[in-house]
Amino acid sequence: MLPWVVRRTGLPLLSLRCVDCRSESATTGEGRFRVNANGKLLDVWLLVRCVSCGRTSKLGVHERAPVSSFTLAELDGYHANDPELVASTLLDPLFARRNRFALDWNGAWRLDAPSARLDDAWPVRVEVVFDDPVPVRPERLIAHGLGLSRNEVLRRIKCDIPLRRPTSAGFTFTVLAGD
Ligand SMILES: [Zn+2]
């Protein structure tokens, strides 16, 4: 079984409408949190910037959360703008839903696929693993990874999940010999 790995190469952009210029793309840039303490309660935001006009917005991560509900590592992470914490916050589906944005993964991920010697033994089985939750269309990923046309993919690939529906959960497929 050949292992393929999908992983991010950076942080995805956010599809989020700017209230100033109506552009629909924002970035976390270097990744910065803002923390505001109010007695024993904390507000935490992730700052994002419109890629078109540069306007900064605050997206709520925690709202009036008791300081005692955070671990020390979390508090340090928010204050130090820890890149791993920025990434895990941005990729948290609940955070995206609460703040009404979708992730734009264009150019922010790659497929690591060992070069396949496809003539050796048929059929070939491939296991796709996701290191990061990048939604990919299996049909396109397989075409790209094997250098096949979409038509060849449809003809030669046996897969137990739908080829056209984006997924970010691991799957396996089988490549049948060409004609
Ligand atoms: Zn803007």
Side-chain angles (χ1 to χ4, degrees), residues 58-73:
K58 297 188 300 186
L59 302 182
V61 183
H62 295 286
E63 203 179 331
R64 296 179 177 281
V67 177
S68 56
S69 67
F70 296 90
T71 65
L72 265 182

Side-chain angles (χ1 to χ4, degrees), residues 108-119:
W109 65 279
R110 68 165 192 256
L111 169 67
D112 287 340
S115 54
R117 307 238 315 269
L118 284 183
D119 343 307

Side-chain angles (χ1 to χ4, degrees), residues 53-130:
C53 74
R55 182 187 208 277
T56 299
S57 317
K58 297 188 300 186
L59 302 182
V61 183
H62 295 286
E63 203 179 331
R64 296 179 177 281
V67 177
S68 56
S69 67
F70 296 90
T71 65
L72 265 182
E74 281 174 321
L75 291 178
D76 283 349
Y78 288 128
H79 284 292
N81 302 312
D82 174 51
E84 284 306 312
L85 193 54
V86 169
S88 64
T89 300
L90 181 65
L91 302 189
D92 177 357
L94 276 176
F95 174 68
R97 203 174 314 153
R98 270 205 318 271
N99 288 286
R100 300 199 173 124
F101 66 84
L103 293 172
D104 170 5
W105 280 100
N106 259 322
W109 65 279
R110 68 165 192 256
L111 169 67
D112 287 340
S115 54
R117 307 238 315 269
L118 284 183
D119 343 307
D120 279 2
W122 300 98
V124 175
R125 289 197 37 88
V126 177
E127 178 179 28
V128 184
V129 175
F130 289 76

Side-chain angles (χ1 to χ4, degrees), residues 15-43:
S15 298
L16 180 68
R17 176 162 287 187
C18 174
V19 294
D20 275 354
C21 76
R22 316 302 283 169
S23 146
E24 291 188 18
S25 193
T27 174
T28 49
E30 299 289 293
R32 279 178 54 214
F33 292 106
R34 181 166 297 166
V35 180
N36 185 36
N38 193 337
K40 294 190 167 167
L41 301 177
L42 276 194
D43 288 314

